[in-house]
Amino acid sequence: MPADDPKTLVSTDWLAAHLKDPDLRVIDASYYLPDMGRDAKAEYDAGHIPGARFFDIDEISDSASALPHMAPPIEKFMSRMRAMGVGDGHQVVVYDGAGLFSAARVWWLFKLMGKTDVAVLDGGLPKWRAEGREIEDMPPVVKDRHMTAQRQAHLVKDVTQVAAAAKLGDWQIVDARSPARFRGEEPEPREGLRAGHIPGSLNVHYATLLNEDGTLKRAADLRAAFEQAGVDLDRRIVTTCGSGVTAAILFLGLELLGHRDVALYDGSWSEWGQFEQLKVETG
């Protein structure tokens, strides 16, 4: 696995060694699609890494948007984090119950808000449990902590910007959905969406970046996954997926490869797939 980096990715060994650090905050960012048949909050209540706070991706979002879990306004993010006892000067580690599915989304949200001391737990809760490490079912004792944030607008793209990128070709658009969904061969899990992909986009299924145990692959293998899909790692990239969750896994992989000119299309296919005036490719 990649070396421990408190700004991107840390191992279970690293977290175990730092778990009692006074300025460490652990966040359970578990989230599941309806067809997964899992209840993230119920699983958190039943058992989580000691001290972990639960981050509700659907609630800590832009309630003014009809799209699923869009990035929240900066004021809402700061108030929710303050109430969770997460603030300035904290090292944050984010995990999820799938290994690596939704944790990268919350890592990206922190980056979007200008917070850089945040890492994803490699392998997440499954790896932590498999190693027989401590689990608790008690909610953490939370003390308010002031948080300042500054939105980093260059890390996110809206539909107008992505449409321009697709037309001009000045950004590569890389889609994290499965090959069958990308090609339009299977229906979208959300109703009312067309099948297919953004014209000119490339497909790097997020699962190709992961080992069987949910940990991220080594840098050489990450690089190969992108290059085999035709991605030029020297050019600008917009990551996209179904609703902006697994697109963050591609973002994390690119960050680990040292790629700094990356943005995430927050609306992703939940937005693009519903508007007839936006062109769609299949195959």
Side-chain angles (χ1 to χ4, degrees):
M1 62 154 285
D4 288 314
D5 179 359
K7 294 183 185 297
T8 49
L9 189 74
V10 295
S11 65
T12 49
D13 285 341
W14 186 96
L15 181 58
H18 291 273
L19 197 55
K20 292 188 167 51
D21 289 4
D23 282 331
L24 181 83
R25 293 293 179 269
V26 182
I27 289 178
D28 184 321
S30 300
Y31 164 84
Y32 304 108
L33 295 170
D35 59 3
M36 292 177 170
R38 295 177 66 173
D39 184 328
K41 182 59 165 62
E43 290 184 19
Y44 166 82
D45 289 339
H48 51 262
I49 292 175
R53 286 93 162 119
F54 183 73
F55 189 112
D56 187 332
I57 285 176
D58 282 329
E59 197 284 321
I60 306 174
S61 66
D62 183 359
S63 55
S65 174
L67 296 168
H69 42 253
M70 293 285 281
I74 196 165
E75 298 80 10
K76 182 174 183 179
F77 182 83
M78 287 192 296
S79 70
R80 294 296 189 274
M81 291 306 98
R82 191 176 298 134
M84 287 166 60
V86 179
D88 294 342
H90 282 150
Q91 168 66 48
V92 176
V93 174
V94 189
Y95 74 86
D96 65 53
L100 181 50
F101 180 68
S102 53
R105 167 71 187 190
V106 174
W107 167 82
W108 172 81
L109 271 178
F110 271 88
K111 284 180 65 69
L112 180 64
M113 300 300 172
K115 313 307 286 185
T116 57
D117 292 330
V118 55
V120 170
L121 179 63
D122 202 22
L125 189 61
K127 188 170 190 290
W128 183 269
R129 283 186 177 276
E131 292 165 352
R133 300 186 189 273
E134 186 182 355
I135 297 290
E136 67 179 18
D137 58 8
M138 297 290 290
V141 176
V142 172
K143 295 178 181 177
D144 271 19
R145 178 80 163 242
H146 180 71
M147 172 178 276
T148 51
Q150 188 169 6
R151 198 169 191 270
Q152 306 296 302
H154 64 284
L155 299 182
V156 66
K157 296 289 183 191
D158 63 22
V159 65
T160 304
Q161 293 168 315
V162 175
K167 185 176 182 179
L168 298 172
D170 55 345
W171 289 74
Q172 297 170 101
I173 302 169
V174 186
D175 193 322
R177 292 176 301 155
S178 69
R181 284 174 66 190
F182 180 82
R183 294 192 297 263
E185 296 169 356
E186 66 180 36
E188 286 296 304
R190 291 180 174 81
E191 290 185 17
L193 298 179
R194 297 169 295 165
H197 57 266
I198 298 169
S201 58
L202 303 167
N203 186 209
V204 177
H205 187 206
Y206 77 89
T208 62
L209 304 189
L210 304 177
N211 297 308
E212 288 185 11
D213 64 355
T215 56
L216 271 164
K217 291 181 176 177
R218 293 175 180 272
D221 296 322
L222 294 177
R223 185 177 300 278
F226 285 104
E227 291 178 344
Q228 286 167 11
V231 178
D232 182 347
L233 292 171
D234 292 324
R235 292 183 56 216
R236 299 187 294 183
I237 294 171
V238 178
T239 66
T240 183
C241 60
S243 65
V245 173
T246 58
I249 298 176
L250 301 189
F251 197 114
L252 177 62
L254 290 163
E255 180 94 358
L256 288 165
L257 289 174
H259 201 306
R260 296 294 179 262
D261 212 346
V262 188
L264 185 147
Y265 173 26
D266 203 9
S268 284
W269 199 253
S270 296
E271 183 174 39
W272 193 280
Q274 67 176 287
F275 293 115
E276 293 297 329
Q277 65 267 40
L278 294 172
K279 293 181 180 178
V280 167
E281 283 183 350
T282 55

